[in-house]
């Protein structure tokens, strides 16, 4: 209960929604229900995505600054589903060509900082890097490392707000608050469609509780008759007008990958 | 090496052609480089500027999921320095990977180490010194390698049947010693000369918040000693490659944004500056601290602080015997991926220091520009009994501060 109040306080400072302060005082039981409902929604998202084992995709990032100049990054992304701990991801850069073959391996952990290695092919060097770089920009894009990291239910506390129509879809609107102090956010507001439990939009609030970024997700397709994956993610910085489009193609599921394909040693033979 | 290289290219070509119709991946880099030396040269024959072009090609083929071949030839043509015009096979390597064992055969590049300023433990590949004074460029090394993946680590065994001599700038080149090295007549301690079979083993263990590696090398030392021949019409230094044994330790500990690093070696058999074999240990370590999103922007700043210690002190045949390193890596995270690296290496006993500034930026998907500035401080000669004192190594290149611009085209 104490933990919840703290969460609510956080939220209050951030949103300034007086309505909620009234609710906290008058109907704490309802809020506790909302907390459980919010969490249940994300548990359902997690449950629906279980069992994919592994998938890979090609991702093209188009970075735009406020004057409309563009820059492109292309990478191949492979994910291995975690059984007891977090997922493992391998990102291999293709463009710009100067950094092609550079690979970033992440072992996500639910209870501690992620382990991360960077492979620099020109030097043949595998460099262990700090997994605490959550808030840092990913290759200059509007996506930070934590935006792209595998999401675990335990990474956040939740609170269901209301139902809302978003992009003609009947959605849940849920606030989630990162537990990790290294996170660049105080909270995120997430829209999830009720029918398929897919994230449609996220609003990110920074440490100063201002709306910093907005992510819209579109072009969902269903794979193996179960797993929904997006075709496009658009992150728009609300403060400086910069944006990044991420276009995902070539999804391939269940190539039969194992932990050995995501070991530090495997980085040496990455292509 | 020349004959060996040519034979190898031939063997590889004959190997490659039958598979030419198979799916190969080809890529490459073409680069032009110019260096400007603001100070007049210290030695006759040297020039005040330098131009060169280089090409590196890469061919890769995967026969099956577990068997692959990689071939990377490199060549630089230097318009001023004959010794810097050189070719090398950076890689010509077949790899067979299974979950329990990886076997590699051919020419490959292997890096050991964790620190940023100098790489003490790294010993598999010879330094391609004419490429850059920071000793980060390496020559391809012929080897048979066996890797055994462990549950949270790796055991590597290397057998190296062929030794590569270090490259040194020629008479017209800057950044050289005087007298310069005679790379045509190296002397080896072992009678097998460059065919002595070297071997090395490294055991690496990963931990939740760090890593630890222990390594051993036995064979021809990569760092040459110096012989000044008494009877010689031309004054030249002869590189002497001793038989050495080296134990190496690498450690890294990660806590939040802090990366703590340590490298230590103990080496037997290495001759010192006075050409006496002096067993020694050397160590380097420090930390890297990363600040993400500085000034509320998307820019990142990494701070590097390291210390360097060599037990031989003044008799060490190295620039760094007791130094402190301060560095910063600034990533602008802009559309051009602009990065700035500054390194200050300060000798503790004297005022000697090196300052390195490196700026890199990209234009589109295929072009990158790098600007480097090197400043060597030893403009005056410290007191020393010997002709080329350890503290004087920097003195040799005292007039070789330079600015370098390199444009690379990637295809």
């Amino acid at each position: 209960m104490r933990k919840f109040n703290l969460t609510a306080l956080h939220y209050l400072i951030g949103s300034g929604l007086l309505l909620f302060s009234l609710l906290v005082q008058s109907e704490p039981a309802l809020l506790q229900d909302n907390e459980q409902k919010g969490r249940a929604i994300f548990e359902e998202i997690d449950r629906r995505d279980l069992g994919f084992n592994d998938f890979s995709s090609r991702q093209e990032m188009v970075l735009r600054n406020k004057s409309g100049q563009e820059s492109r990054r292309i990478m191949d992304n492979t994910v291995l589903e975690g059984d007891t701990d977090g997922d493992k991801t391998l990102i291999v850069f293709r463009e710009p060509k100067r950094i092609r073959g550079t690979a970033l391996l992440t072992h996500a952990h639910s209870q501690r900082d992620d382990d991360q290695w960077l492979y620099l092919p020109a030097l043949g060097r595998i460099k262990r890097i700090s997994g605490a770089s959550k808030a840092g920009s990913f290759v200059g894009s509007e996506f930070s490392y934590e935006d792209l990291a595998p999401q675990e239910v335990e990474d956040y506390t939740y609170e269901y707000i209301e139902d809302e129509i978003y992009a003609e879809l009947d959605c849940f609107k849920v606030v989630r608050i990162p537990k990790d102090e290294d996170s660049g956010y105080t909270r995120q507001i997430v829209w999830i469609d009720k029918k398929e439990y897919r994230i449609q939009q996220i609003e990110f609030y920074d440490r100063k509780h201002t709306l910093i970024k907005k992510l819209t997700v579109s072009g969902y397709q269903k794979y193996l008759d179960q797993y929904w994956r997006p075709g496009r993610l658009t992150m728009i910085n609300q403060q400086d007008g910069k944006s990044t489009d991420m276009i995902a193609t070539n999804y391939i599921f269940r190539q039969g990958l194992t932990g050995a394909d995501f070991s530090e040693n495997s980085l040496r033979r990455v292509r | 090496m020349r004959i060996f290289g040519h034979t190898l290219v031939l063997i590889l070509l004959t190997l490659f052609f039958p598979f030419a119709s198979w799916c190969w991946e080809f890529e490459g880099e073409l680069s032009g480089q110019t260096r400007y030396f603001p100070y007049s040269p210290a030695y006759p024959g040297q020039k005040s500027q330098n131009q060169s072009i280089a090409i590196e090609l890469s061919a890769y083929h995967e026969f099956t999921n577990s068997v692959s071949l990689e071939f990377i030839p490199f060549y630089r043509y230097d318009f001023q320095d004959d010794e810097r015009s050189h070719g090398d096979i950076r890689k010509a390597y077949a790899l067979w990977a299974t979950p329990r064992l990886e076997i590699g055969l051919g020419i490959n590049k292997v890096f050991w180490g964790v620190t940023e300023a100098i790489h003490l433990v790294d010993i598999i590949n010879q330094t391609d010194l004419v490429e850059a004074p920071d000793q980060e460029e390496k020559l391809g090394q012929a080897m048979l390698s066996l890797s055994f993946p462990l549950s949270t680590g790796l055991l590597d065994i290397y057998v190296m049947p062929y030794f590569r001599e270090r490259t040194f700038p020629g008479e017209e080149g800057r950044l050289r010693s005087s007298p310069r090295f005679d790379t045509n007549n190296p002397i080896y301690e072992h009678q097998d000369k460059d065919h002595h079979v070297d071997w090395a083993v490294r055991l690496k263990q990963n931990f939740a918040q760090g890593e630890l590696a222990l390594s051993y090398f036995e064979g021809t030392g990569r760092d040459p000693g110096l012989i000044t021949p008494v009877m010689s019409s031309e004054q030249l230094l002869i590189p002497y490659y001793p038989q050495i044994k080296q134990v190496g330790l690498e450690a890294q500990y990660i806590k939040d944004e802090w990366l703590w690093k340590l490298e230590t070696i103990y080496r037997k058999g290495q001759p010192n500056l006075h050409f006496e074999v002096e067993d020694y240990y050397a160590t380097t370590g420090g930390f890297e601290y990363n600040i993400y999103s500085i000034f509320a922007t998307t820019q990142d700043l990494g701070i590097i602080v390291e210390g360097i210690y060599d037990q031989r002190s003044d008799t060490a045949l190295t620039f760094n015997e007791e130094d402190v390193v301060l560095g910063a890596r600034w990533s602008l995270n802009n559309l051009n991926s602009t990065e700035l690296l500054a390194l200050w290496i300060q000798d503790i006993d004297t005022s000697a220091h090196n300052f390195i500034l490196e700026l890199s930026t990209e234009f589109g998907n295929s072009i990158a520009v790098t600007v480097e500035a090197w400043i060597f401080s030893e403009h005056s000669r410290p007191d020393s009994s010997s002709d080329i004192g350890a503290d004087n190594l920097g003195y040799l290149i005292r007039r070789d501060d330079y600015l370098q611009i390199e444009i690379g085209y990637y295809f």
Side-chain angles (χ1 to χ4, degrees), chain B residues 94-124:
Chain B
L95 181 70
W96 180 53
T98 70
R100 293 248 177 105
L101 168 68
E102 285 174 25
I103 300 174
L105 183 66
I107 295 170
N108 198 15
K109 189 149 61 170
V110 172
F111 179 87
W112 293 352
V114 291
T115 53
E116 297 302 311
I118 65 161
H119 307 301
L120 280 177
V121 173
D122 191 37
I123 196 167
I124 298 289

Side-chain angles (χ1 to χ4, degrees), chain A residues 240-257:
Chain A
D240 59 16
K242 291 197 283 184
S243 70
T244 300
D245 270 342
M246 192 159 93
I247 299 129
T249 52
N250 292 16
Y251 280 106
I252 304 168
F253 278 77
R254 286 189 190 149
Q255 295 170 77
L257 301 179

Side-chain angles (χ1 to χ4, degrees), chain A residues 17-56:
Chain A
L17 283 178
L18 281 167
L19 176 70
F20 271 82
S21 75
L22 292 172
L23 283 172
V24 170
Q25 284 156 13
S26 59
E27 295 200 54
L30 178 65
L31 266 188
Q32 195 168 14
D33 286 349
N34 287 342
E35 192 181 356
Q36 277 164 5
K37 185 171 178 183
R39 187 186 161 89
I41 291 164
F42 278 85
E43 279 172 347
E44 179 62 16
I45 293 174
D46 208 45
R47 195 192 63 77
R48 290 184 181 216
D49 207 44
L50 281 180
F52 65 81
N53 189 62
D54 65 80
F55 76 92
S56 66

Side-chain angles (χ1 to χ4, degrees), chain B residues 39-78:
Chain B
Y39 298 111
S40 60
Y43 315 118
Q46 290 183 318
K47 306 283 191 294
S48 64
Q49 29 85 27
N50 174 273
Q51 283 84 33
S52 65
I53 47 172
I55 186 160
E56 187 172 278
L57 298 169
S58 161
Y60 176 83
H61 181 69
E62 230 173 62
F63 293 92
T64 67
N65 257 345
S66 57
V67 182
S68 62
L69 244 178
E70 193 175 12
F71 179 48
I72 305 181
F74 166 85
Y75 188 80
R76 177 179 299 281
Y77 179 76
D78 191 291

